[in-house]
């Protein structure tokens, strides 16, 4: 009989400590690190994760009243040693609670808030299979014969489908079961997110010389079996995806598995189909718009080694693939790799660390690498490989800036579309070619203004204006999703001079339909993509030439390959340039370069027209010249002069709560603790100041920034200050510490 032992448990809450529980002798035998354990915490039961097993109570707990664990959920741990090790790294590096990280690493539904909600499980169904086929010798009814015949033809079947195909009732099957001719059994059925895409043919290309050279270098490193990192800088349309797939194939042929991370949900269907065509059933897909059951089944297939290729968004980096040989991070510069809530982590950086820990190769790919990655490549941390040309040496699109200041002067009022852009849309249509029109603002109007009192209509919960969505006749907050009916009179003065200002994608679509009645236009933005089917249908229609023009937000800029698109129009980027964030120039440069990459991918050249009131901004000039290096040099100078990453490590501390007075007081208190911890002056501390979004979801927000040339000092100062703050009574649940924030908004 085993002795009682103890489990150290991390709970999926924003608390930084772990807890120790006593296990029963039976639990002591069965429990393993990585298993879920239901434990009492405060007055309720929570599901936590075993992170360590102890034979004896640690000395520092001597005398403390240790509680009994409630129940062990898994015999087979849900979190493998590799994933546990990775989660520990994430928790240390990003200063996030380990329990929160493990929860984020598992599919949703595995750690329900209330125990009563039940854990997600395989979906079980009844199947039928034939036991003997000497049915001829038996006396059978017609229905019974049809059942036998159907099973002979198609093998074991779901009971449901068998009843349909053989056109019989369940009692017919039951009678055959009595005769021991068939067996009814229970098994898990797979909830497959990609069923519709089976049977698509995979295209096989001869690699171009530059593709071969890049692939050879990657394969050589993979052969060595040791960690290696690559930054693949390849212009849009240069054939990066082909390289990713070949490298993944290589990993499989070496007996290892492969993972590919993609930034957007919207991209996943396209890529996952291509991967499914290439790798068949070995592909598992992970992203947030799958249903929980689908996610769970895909995760299970990976965990038990059935699927050896994983494609997915951010959290797929934690997929329990065994013997990982390769991680591809496509569009590595994308900010969606960063999780914007605790645990804050950047999947690209986690991918690098995972590759190191598992001796895998990692390939970061982009047409517009992040400044950090480019810097790392320059310093020799990554191998740098390039695809400088498009496939078939197709020319890059020519880009041109349209100075909206002169358009304004000419017309005496602001215009949404310059004549030049309208003319280009018309010509493109006449030639039977397609266009993409981009504006980074969804909705119909960006805000509503009262002409009588000058008030704008604000979100009651956030410090932003509400956006008018005409088709649903509501005004909406794009941050908290607060909806209200469109007002007929101004809520502050009661007069009816309500006026809509600024255009969104919905209005652009309508304007284009009015200006060009025969133009076939559809819109792609978060409003339409909320409905996955509509979105996929629009892309399919555009791809098949049933649409002439797509209007949309940045979702359109990425990844898509439409050979007949020869015009990209950017209605405005000025709002993005003006954001109070040190990455706003980099983001704008990337956006323009990416969207320009959508034009001229077929055999006709493309062109890009960018409307702006800031025609001389360096991000726009270099994007138009498609000169990444020049942009990089200028941006690096700016970052160096202003002490921003990659020259310093950066952390932000956001203090948020409904009560403004408390937020202010807590912020000042934290500043004091930071100063006290920063005696050696190794860090520079800025703030507290109201965050650029000073109110969000009903909470006020203050922000502090910490910069330092030494990442170690940065962490020491931040950790010491927050520890002191907590001891002084500040609730750390309303304090977010973010290491390497991608945005300081
Ligand atoms: P990227 O990911 O760099 O934007 P893609 O991999 O999507 O580029 O390739 C652009 C287009 O070129 C795709 O239609 C792809 O099928 C095609 N392609 C890629 N490699 C080759 C090749 N070696 N020969 C011919 N066509 C290719
Ligand atoms: Zn809001």
């Amino acid at each position: 009989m085993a002795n009682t032992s103890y489990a150290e448990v991390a709970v999926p809450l924003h608390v930084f400590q772990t807890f120790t529980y006593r296990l029963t002798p039976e639990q002591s035998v069965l429990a393993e690190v990585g298993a879920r354990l239901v434990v009492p915490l405060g007055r309720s039961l929570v599901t936590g994760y075993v992170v360590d097993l102890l034979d004896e109570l640690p000395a520092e707990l001597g005398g403390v009243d240790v509680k009994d664990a409630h129940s062990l959920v898994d015999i087979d741990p849900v979190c493998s040693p590799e994933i546990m090790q990775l989660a520990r790294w994430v928790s240390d590096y990003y200063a996030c609670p380990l329990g929160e990280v493990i929860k984020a690493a598992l599919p949703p539904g595995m750690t329900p808030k209330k125990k009563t909600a039940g854990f997600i499980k395989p979906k079980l169904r009844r199947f039928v299979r034939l036991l003997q086929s000497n049915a001829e010798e038996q006396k059978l009814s017609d229905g019974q014969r049809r059942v036998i015949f159907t099973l002979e033809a198609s093998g074991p079947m779901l009971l449901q489908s068998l009843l349909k195909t053989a056109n019989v009732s369940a009692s017919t099957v039951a009678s055959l079961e009595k005769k021991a001719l068939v067996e009814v059994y229970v098994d898990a059925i797979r909830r497959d997110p990609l069923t519709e895409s089976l049977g698509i043919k995979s295209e096989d290309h001869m690699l171009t010389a530059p593709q071969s050279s890049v692939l050879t270098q990657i394969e050589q490193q993979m052969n060595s079996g040791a960690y290696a990192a690559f930054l693949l800088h390849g212009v849009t349309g240069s054939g990066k995806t082909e390289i990713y797939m070949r490298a993944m194939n290589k990993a499989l042929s070496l007996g290892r598995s492969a993972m590919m991370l993609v930034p957007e949900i919207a991209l996943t269907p396209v890529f996952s189909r291509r991967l499914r065509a290439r790798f068949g059933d070995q592909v598992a897909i992970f992203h947030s718009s799958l249903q929980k059951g689908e996610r769970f089944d895909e995760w299970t297939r990976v965990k038990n080694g059935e699927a050896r290729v994983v494609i997915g968004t951010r959290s797929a980096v934690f997929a329990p693939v065994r013997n990982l040989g390769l991680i591809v991070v496509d569009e590595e510069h994308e900010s969606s790799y960063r999780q914007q809530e605790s645990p804050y982590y950047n999947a690209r950086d986690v991918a690098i660390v995972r590759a190191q820990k598992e001796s895998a190769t990692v390939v970061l790919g982009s047409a517009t690498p992040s400044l950090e990655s480019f810097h790392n490549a320059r310093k020799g941390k990554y191998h740098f490989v390039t695809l400088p040309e498009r496939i078939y040496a197709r020319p890059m699109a020519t880009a041109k800036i349209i100075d909206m200041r002169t358009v304004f002067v000419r017309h005496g009022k602001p215009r949404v579309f310059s004549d030049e852009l309208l003319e280009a849309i018309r010509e493109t249509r006449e030639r039977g070619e397609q266009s993409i029109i981009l504006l980074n603002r969804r909705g119909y109007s960006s805000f509503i203004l009262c002409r009588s009192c000058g008030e704008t209509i604000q979100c009651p919960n956030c410090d932003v204006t509400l956006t008018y969505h005409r088709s649903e006749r509501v005004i909406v907050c794009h941050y908290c999703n607060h909806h209200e009916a469109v007002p007929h009179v101004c809520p502050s003065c009661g007069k009816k001079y309500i006026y809509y200002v600024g255009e969104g994608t919905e209005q652009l679509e309508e304007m284009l339909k009015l200006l060009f009645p025969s133009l076939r236009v559809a819109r792609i933005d978060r409003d339409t993509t909320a409905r996955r089917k509509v979105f996929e249908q629009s892309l399919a229609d555009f791809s098949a030439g049933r649409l002439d023009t797509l209007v949309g937000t940045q979702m359109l800029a990425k990844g898509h390959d439409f050979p007949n698109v020869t015009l990209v129009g950017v209605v405005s980027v000025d709002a993005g340039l003006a954001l109070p964030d040190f990455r706003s120039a980099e983001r704008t440069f990337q956006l323009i370069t990416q969207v320009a990459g959508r034009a001229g991918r077929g055999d006709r050249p493309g062109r890009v027209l960018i409307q702006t009131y800031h025609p001389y901004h360096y991000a726009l000039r270099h994007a138009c010249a498609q000169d990444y290096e020049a942009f990089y040099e200028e941006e690096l100078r700016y970052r160096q002069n202003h002490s921003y990453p990659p020259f310093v490590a950066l952390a932000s501390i956001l203090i948020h709560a409904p009560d403004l007075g408390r937020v202010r007081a807590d912020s000042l208190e934290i500043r004091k603790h930071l100063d006290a911890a920063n005696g050696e002056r190794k860090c520079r501390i800025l703030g507290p100041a109201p965050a650029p979004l000073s109110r969000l979801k009903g909470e006020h927000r203050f922000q502090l920034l910490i910069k330092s040339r030494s990442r170690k000092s940065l962490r020491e100062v931040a950790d010491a200050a927050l520890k002191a703050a907590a001891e002084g009574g500040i609730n750390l649940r309303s304090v977010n510490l973010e290491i390497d924030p991608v945005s300081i908004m």
Side-chain angles (χ1 to χ4, degrees):
M1 193 74 202
N3 287 322
T4 306
S5 62
Y6 300 87
E8 188 188 339
V9 173
V11 293
L13 299 170
H14 201 66
V15 290
F16 285 84
Q17 88 220 71
T18 51
F19 299 92
T20 303
Y21 293 91
R22 183 182 298 107
L23 300 175
T24 62
E26 196 201 2
Q27 287 169 346
S28 303
V29 174
L30 297 176
E32 281 184 45
V33 169
R36 289 171 292 177
L37 186 69
V38 178
V39 293
L41 190 76
R43 285 201 202 148
S44 50
L45 290 176
V46 299
T47 307
Y49 314 96
V50 177
V51 296
D52 203 0
L53 289 164
L54 316 157
D55 290 333
E56 281 168 29
L57 214 51
E60 71 268 19
L61 285 181
V64 176
D65 189 18
V66 170
K67 289 186 187 165
D68 292 333
H70 179 273
S71 55
L72 183 67
V73 184
D74 311 297
I75 297 171
D76 180 21
V78 288
C79 196
S80 67
E82 290 81 21
I83 302 302
M84 184 62 83
Q85 197 193 17
L86 193 63
R88 279 192 188 278
W89 179 85
V90 169
S91 159
D92 285 346
Y93 183 88
Y94 293 105
C96 300
L98 181 57
E100 273 188 351
V101 178
I102 299 175
K103 180 178 179 183
L106 295 172
M110 299 207 52
T111 323
K113 274 223 179 68
K114 291 209 186 73
K115 215 207 140 237
T116 47
F119 297 101
I120 187 144
K121 292 220 168 66
K123 184 169 176 177
L124 298 176
R125 284 288 176 273
R126 282 197 285 172
F127 289 82
V128 186
R129 73 172 151 232
L130 214 51
L131 287 181
Q132 315 168 17
S133 56
N134 57 346
E136 290 80 32
E137 294 148 32
Q138 307 234 7
K139 256 188 79 184
L140 297 178
S141 70
D142 283 355
Q144 288 171 332
R145 275 186 202 292
R146 284 200 301 275
V147 170
I148 302 287
F149 182 75
T150 310
L151 288 174
E152 271 172 354
S154 52
M157 274 179 97
L158 254 178
L159 175 61
Q160 290 272 304
S161 0
L162 176 65
L163 298 182
K164 233 191 240 153
T165 318
N167 191 21
V168 294
S169 69
S171 62
T172 313
V173 176
S175 65
L176 286 170
E177 201 183 7
K178 249 191 222 138
K179 289 182 198 280
L181 287 173
V182 303
E183 182 195 21
V184 180
Y185 60 102
V186 171
D187 203 353
I189 64 163
R190 172 169 166 213
R191 291 155 283 196
D192 183 355
L194 285 180
T195 32
E196 308 130 58
S197 53
L198 281 174
I200 294 179
K201 279 275 279 294
S202 138
E203 12 170 351
D204 239 337
H205 299 295
M206 276 273 287
L207 290 190
T208 62
Q211 279 175 320
S212 294
S213 147
V214 168
L215 185 67
T216 308
Q217 294 177 63
I218 295 174
E219 289 187 339
Q220 269 167 6
Q221 290 295 330
M222 292 177 75
N223 282 331
S224 83
Y227 161 76
F230 286 85
L231 176 60
L232 168 54
H233 180 199
V235 297
T236 49
S238 58
K240 295 186 288 297
T241 314
E242 192 61 35
I243 290 184
Y244 301 152
M245 301 224 246
R246 303 258 179 149
M248 290 200 269
N249 222 348
K250 172 78 180 173
L252 294 184
S253 73
L254 289 169
R256 301 180 78 174
S257 41
M259 172 187 285
M260 175 163 169
L261 302 180
V262 293
E264 289 273 338
I265 295 160
L267 272 180
T268 338
V270 183
F271 270 129
S272 27
R273 271 180 208 142
R274 266 170 95 178
L275 286 182
R276 183 54 86 76
R278 190 71 66 111
F279 299 105
D281 239 9
Q282 300 213 59
V283 178
I285 154 171
F286 282 58
H287 66 73
S288 58
S289 72
L290 295 189
Q291 280 144 20
K292 274 188 187 168
E294 292 174 333
R295 277 273 278 261
F296 178 79
D297 289 357
E298 292 295 87
W299 179 85
T300 309
R301 289 194 325 118
V302 171
K303 188 157 185 293
N304 57 32
E306 261 172 70
R308 288 164 63 212
V309 178
V310 167
I311 174 170
T313 45
R314 187 171 64 222
S315 66
V317 74
F318 295 108
V321 278
R322 301 184 196 167
N323 196 1
L324 184 62
L326 174 75
I327 310 180
V328 172
V329 184
D330 189 29
E331 312 287 358
E332 65 86 25
H333 63 280
E334 279 289 332
S335 51
S336 59
Y337 283 123
R338 174 79 180 188
Q339 172 139 312
Q340 295 296 348
E341 58 184 33
S342 189
Y344 301 94
Y345 66 89
N346 188 318
R348 175 198 58 207
D349 299 340
V350 177
I352 299 274
V353 171
R354 184 162 184 187
Q356 277 168 352
K357 289 188 186 301
E358 302 188 27
S359 299
T361 297
V362 56
V363 178
L364 309 180
S366 177
T368 50
S370 65
L371 227 60
E372 280 89 340
S373 295
F374 205 84
H375 197 59
N376 280 334
R378 279 252 176 115
K379 286 191 304 188
K381 276 175 125 181
Y382 304 156
H383 300 272
F384 187 56
V385 284
T386 54
L387 292 176
E389 282 201 354
R390 283 184 159 180
I391 294 290
Y392 304 130
R394 279 174 193 140
M396 299 297 289
T398 50
K400 185 180 169 202
I401 289 175
I402 299 176
D403 185 347
M404 294 304 279
R405 297 172 310 176
T406 59
V407 173
F408 179 86
V409 169
R410 201 173 321 127
H411 295 275
K413 58 178 182 194
R415 297 264 307 237
V416 179
F417 289 109
S418 58
D419 290 337
E420 197 172 350
L421 180 52
L422 288 180
E423 184 56 21
I425 294 171
R426 197 184 55 76
E427 279 172 16
T428 306
R429 166 73 209 272
E430 272 170 11
R431 283 197 303 267
E433 296 165 5
Q434 292 171 302
S435 52
I436 285 179
I437 307 297
L438 181 95
L439 176 66
N440 247 348
R441 198 187 302 130
R442 62 203 173 91
Y444 191 85
S445 298
S446 45
F447 56 95
I448 305 179
L449 184 79
C450 171
R451 277 211 251 207
S452 176
C453 72
E455 278 295 310
T456 53
I457 300 186
Q458 299 267 335
C459 173
N461 312 315
C462 308
D463 181 26
V464 295
T465 51
L466 294 175
T467 303
Y468 176 41
H469 286 241
R470 179 154 148 168
S471 55
E472 285 116 37
R473 308 208 53 74
V474 287
I475 50 182
V476 179
C477 171
H478 284 178
Y479 288 88
C480 73
N481 213 24
H482 167 86
H483 277 62
E484 55 186 79
V486 178
H488 298 292
V489 295
C490 170
S492 54
C493 71
K495 300 216 176 91
K496 53 180 186 198
Y497 301 108
I498 286 196
Y499 182 59
Y500 298 91
V501 189
E503 304 73 30
T505 45
E506 194 183 344
Q507 189 171 158
L508 290 194
E509 181 189 13
E510 184 188 279
M511 289 173 87
L512 286 177
K513 282 178 173 162
L514 279 175
L515 286 163
F516 305 106
S518 68
L519 192 74
R520 298 165 300 169
V521 190
R523 177 164 56 92
I524 298 262
D525 54 32
R526 229 180 319 148
D527 295 323
T528 58
T529 47
R531 287 158 282 160
R532 183 166 138 193
K533 284 274 178 300
V534 177
F535 170 73
E536 288 196 23
Q537 190 57 49
S538 299
L539 287 185
D541 286 346
F542 193 61
S543 184
R546 292 186 292 267
L547 289 170
D548 304 308
T549 301
L550 280 184
V551 173
T553 57
Q554 72 207 8
M555 302 190 100
L556 271 182
K558 298 167 191 165
H560 309 294
D561 190 11
F562 302 117
N564 198 33
V565 170
T566 54
L567 171 69
V568 168
V570 180
V571 172
S572 167
V573 285
D574 295 348
L577 277 178
L579 290 177
D581 191 308
F582 70 93
R583 283 196 173 86
S584 61
E586 184 185 0
R587 291 240 174 78
T588 305
F589 175 83
Q590 288 165 341
L591 177 67
I592 300 285
T593 310
Q594 294 282 345
V595 76
R598 298 311 116 208
R601 291 170 76 91
D603 37 26
R604 273 153 299 182
R607 63 172 161 161
V608 183
L609 298 175
I610 301 161
Q611 303 189 150
T612 179
Y613 285 91
H614 306 287
Y616 299 110
H617 194 289
Y618 69 101
L620 297 183
R621 274 192 298 110
H622 295 313
C624 277
Q626 301 175 18
D627 193 341
Y628 183 88
E629 302 249 349
F631 172 74
Y632 173 79
E633 299 300 345
E634 195 153 349
E635 182 67 7
L636 271 186
R637 271 200 301 280
Y638 158 79
R639 300 277 182 96
Q640 188 149 31
N641 291 341
H642 293 79
S643 293
Y644 276 118
F647 297 98
V648 296
L650 181 69
S652 73
I653 297 182
L654 186 87
I655 299 96
H656 57 96
D659 177 40
L660 179 60
R662 218 198 88 203
V663 171
R664 224 182 130 255
D666 285 1
S667 308
L668 290 169
E669 189 68 21
I670 290 175
R671 168 80 207 221
K672 264 193 228 145
H673 292 302
L674 285 168
D675 286 334
N678 190 28
E680 292 177 48
R681 297 267 165 263
K682 290 214 171 129
C683 298
R684 206 165 144 224
I685 299 162
L686 305 159
L693 250 170
S694 65
R695 203 161 150 263
L696 188 66
K697 301 180 183 172
E699 294 193 318
H700 293 277
R701 295 148 47 95
F702 268 56
Q703 180 175 271
L704 288 143
L705 292 178
I706 315 171
K707 293 175 176 179
S708 178
R709 288 188 190 276
S710 153
R711 179 171 288 280
K712 190 161 160 277
S713 309
L714 178 96
R715 274 306 294 282
E716 282 165 3
V717 168
D719 289 354
L722 291 186
K723 187 160 176 276
E727 282 161 8
I730 289 178
N731 182 354
L732 291 191
R733 284 192 197 202
S734 51
V735 178
N736 304 345
L737 168 63
E738 258 197 81
I739 308 295
D740 304 343
V742 294
S743 134
I744 50 175
M745 294 281 295

